[in-house]
Amino acid sequence: MPAPTSPSAAGLEGVVVGSSSICFIDGREGRLLYRGYDINDLVEHSTFEEVVFLLWHGRLPGKKELAEHERALAASRKLPGKVLALLKGFPHKATPTEVLRTTVSALALYDSDAENNSPEASVRKAMRLTGQLATIVAAWARIRAGKTPVAPNARLSAAANFLYMLHGKKPDPLWSKTFDIALVLHADHELNASTFSARVTASTLSDLHSAITSAVGTLKGPLHGGANEAVVRTLQEIGEPERAEVWIKNALAQKRRIMGFGHRVYKTEDPRAAHLRRMAEALGRQAGNLKWYEILRTIERVVREEKGLYPNVDLYSGTCYYAMGIPPDLYVPIFAVSRISGWTAHVLEQHADNRLIRPRADYLGPTRLRYVSIDERK
Ligand code: SDX
């Protein structure tokens, strides 16, 4: 009989499975820190490119270092020709998340560092993946619409370049700012399911591309990624602010999961939601259309009153992307366009001080059954 292990909580809720110095979440106070810096300060003063440096290297860059880092990231956005050709051959019904999962894996075949897990090679690969994921997502959005992909523009920031590659024109400054804030907010979040999946893969000493492929596959699930896409579909279903209260009360009465609410760690408002709420209102005012924002404010009030649940990062992110003309099925891949920075930081940390991640199961099945030959069975 195997030695009984201490049964862990369902879904490893509250179980500490390792240590890390990358991200701290205070679920009670609603605080989120990247390498010790509060997300509120990073949203106000930093950029996605600087946050990528911070996550990978554990400190803020000096002025020269940042300029070099920004140049290197911008130079890493191009896809190998053969990978772009692969994208053009995919069936147009393939979802953007399936295409991203498949293409990340294919990128390894054209990356000379693919099988090299040294810190130097891993940072080079992290640089390329952080640049290339945005290019994959924007290129697929255009290819499936029968349009020609737009080549990345190294003179634009990561946020502005994504919108440029997607829409084929330089973006509105408020759109670039909003998208940069969204990239900062989604960059890392401790051991969420997709990051944990990346670390488990890396802990076998598998390579970075395999770990990121695992992470994208994990993010694909609607309980993790996809909630912001579902929020926008809900908004489209509700349609008008005056219908929001009845809709949400019916949904709660039917015991439905309300996407964009609740969190395994936060027991108060997800600090990321406040920034995205603010940006959703600003974009709505700019467009002269506040109805999505008003619908969400009503839903927020009722869900809080009736279920005691708070918004998470997904409640307003989709509304921001929708206001910028981004189709809902791109929202999970956009989450990955930012979280690639955190995923790669965690793989670097795992490889730097590795031990195979191999937990135990609390065995519930029978033991010592006698084997019955087929002739004796019914
Ligand atoms: C992300 O982990 C991370 O850090 C992820 C993330 C990141 O940055 O990586 O923050 C990104 O994934 C955000 C979460 C996006 N997902 C959603 O918005 C989907 C809707 N939310 C849930 O399904 C839920 O809140 C989870 C999955 C996020 C967390 O769920 P838990 O911790 O497993 O909690 P649970 O499902 O056990 O629910 C506890 C109670 C239940 O009530 P009872 O059945 O005990 O009466 O709360 C209720 C649930 O019914 N509940 C909800 C709800 N979330 C929890 N009820 C209605 N709607 C919800 N959204």
Side-chain angles (χ1 to χ4, degrees), residues 178-189:
T178 302
F179 202 74
D180 183 62
I181 288 175
L183 291 173
V184 168
L185 290 170
H186 286 83
D188 196 55
H189 213 240

Side-chain angles (χ1 to χ4, degrees), residues 192-202 210-211 213-219:
N192 60 88
S194 54
T195 300
F196 186 54
S197 171
R199 289 197 78 133
V200 170
T201 304
S210 297
T213 303
S214 299
V216 175
T218 306
L219 181 68

Side-chain angles (χ1 to χ4, degrees), residues 270-285:
D270 181 333
R272 300 169 293 181
H275 294 287
L276 291 160
R277 180 191 293 118
R278 175 169 51 84
M279 300 314 290
E281 184 179 11
L283 288 165
R285 287 196 189 288

